[in-house]
Amino acid sequence: MLVKNLKMGIVICICIGLVSLLCMTGFYLVLRNSVSNAVEKQAEDNMLTVIDGQTELIDLFVKDSETMMREYASADEIKALIKSPDDEKAVKRAQIYTEKYYSQLNKWEGVYLSDWNTKVLAHSNPSAVGMVTRKGDELDPYRQTMTNSTDGFYNGGAFVSPASKMLILNLRMAVYDDDGRTPIGLVGGGPFLSSLNDLLAQQRTTSFDSEQYAILDTNAKIYTYHSDNDMITKEIEDSRLLEILDKVGDDDMAGIYTDGDFTYAYSYMPDQHLVVTMRCDTDELLADSYKIQHSFIVFIIIAELIIIIATVVVSTIITRPLNKVTSAVDKLSNLSLVGSDSIEKYNGKNSEVGRIATSVSSLTGTWQEIMSTLSGCSEQLGDGSEKMIVAVNALSGYATNNTKTTQQLANEARSASQALHSVSMEIDGISEIMDQSKISNNERVEDAKEMLRSADEMFDSVSQKTAETEENIKTSVGYLDALSDINENVELIGQIAKSTNLLAINASIEASRAGDAGKGFAVIASEVKTLSDNTASAAASIARVCDEMNANVSNIKHCLDDIILFIKNDITGIFKDMHTISDKLSDSINAANDDIDSMTTILGRIRGETGRLDSIVGKNEEGVLDINGKAHTTYELVLELNEYIEKNRQTAEDINEIISRFEK
């Protein structure tokens, strides 16, 4: 039990340790998140402050450059030259002033004055005087960049000068007439950005080792400044800086951009088209946050160890009074019913130990009473088992005899039922054959009826076709008879030919009498005679053809009459015989169906009587089986009762054995 108490103490320590660890972990997570956010926010604010300082420094540099440009444009020599560009004295004074003013500037590529058409009137480099810097389509946009500005000043941002190949700040400003509205010329210049880069390098903060500065040109997308001087004027290829260039605008002038290992602070200068950036290593930026987190982890580990040690000490002190109680429980587990004096002083107390001691004492007394009761019950079970054995043996003999008798009855009833079932199956087979035969006969009757209907339809069709054919033959013969009219016409043609021939002969005679005057008429008479002869010859040919046709028509009429007579006599007789045979076949099949119906009725009666007899035998078999089942159930109950008696005897022995194991 001491080991169990130790285990309970360990469990308590583990539970308290886990709970405290969870609480400490939650506290650490919340605190780490708060501190990390605060440190990160402070670091980002510091970066933005540095960027703001750099931006102000650049803005100050640009404004100083613009101020110098305005001061140059406001000189009297400059205004005089713009108003009188052809005045040689004005040109000379303006050129001298330009060169002098340029000599006072620090790290400028140059300054110049030109008219509104960009013709250079004065330049810090005298060789550039007279050049035209913008022509054609480039001129208007160049002018608009200045006139669109409120003060006429244009800051073109950084670009690489074609002359010096160095970065300069592109500045130009429109010069207006006395009315202040009409531009009459412009001044321009460009300070080298190297001076700005030197200034920015001097102002770099040293709070971070990995900090890196860059100034990006939004138009040309080049570095106008970089902590690494080799990067200046090179094209920007860093995807993170390009993404910053895409982000900046009127709605995003400054901010923080974090991408993996690096954090960027940026500030947009729209007037100069520049973006000032500062890059720091993210881990270095959050180094203070990591230190605080490590301190928290060390604190939590120490606190957790202190809590666990304190828990072990407290649990040991609390569980010590349980040793005496565990000793009494061990005795009870070893089946000792002897009371323990060591826990008497804890009985009746409200503490946990007191309640356990009271329960152990009460349980010991209860077990003593149970053992006494079980001893009496064991003796009674032994006596009852002996008496029940005698009764069970007698009942078992009776159940065995009943089972044998009912089994014989069940076998005989089952044999009778099987015989009746076989008879019923034979009757069902005969009925099925007769039903199938009747169905086949009905199908034959239907086939005969269908044949009869088909024969009637064919007879009607043949009769109708015969009548139609006879009518057509009569019509055709009538048409053939019309050929006789041709004979008459041929005879008429022959008579006409003879008359014509006579007229031709008479005409020839009369022509010969007339002499020379009748020669022409004699020729006509000769032709008419020739026509008459030809007509007579053709009429004779047509007459011969007509005679042959009349003979053929007569033969055709005799053939058609024979066909009609065959259809009416022979084919009609065949259909009538078929009709008679179909009627006789249908009557024979119907008579066979009537006989089958009579046999079916008789078989139905036999099946009914067999079914009733099978039902009676089945009920007898069920009764016998029920008796057999009850006898078998009785026998099983006897066996089960015998088992219960044996179990009771065994239980009594087990109870006695258990009672003997307890110490009293």
Side-chain angles (χ1 to χ4, degrees), residues 451-516:
M451 290 172 60
L452 188 58
R453 284 193 296 271
S454 299
D456 291 338
E457 291 176 358
M458 290 174 65
F459 178 75
D460 293 339
S461 177
V462 169
S463 298
Q464 183 180 357
K465 295 293 183 180
T466 302
E468 292 177 355
T469 303
E470 185 177 4
E471 185 66 27
N472 293 332
I473 290 171
K474 290 180 179 180
T475 302
S476 299
V477 170
Y479 291 148
L480 295 174
D481 290 339
L483 294 174
S484 62
D485 295 337
I486 298 174
N487 294 330
E488 296 176 357
N489 292 328
V490 170
E491 292 177 358
L492 180 60
I493 291 170
Q495 293 175 0
I496 294 170
K498 290 179 180 180
S499 299
T500 304
N501 191 20
L502 291 175
L503 289 174
I505 293 171
N506 290 330
S508 296
I509 294 170
E510 292 297 328
S512 64
R513 290 177 180 176
D516 293 334

Side-chain angles (χ1 to χ4, degrees), residues 543-560:
R544 287 194 300 273
V545 172
C546 288
D547 292 338
E548 293 177 358
M549 288 181 63
N550 289 331
N552 292 331
V553 167
S554 179
N555 292 330
I556 290 171
K557 289 176 65 177
H558 288 303
C559 291
L560 293 176

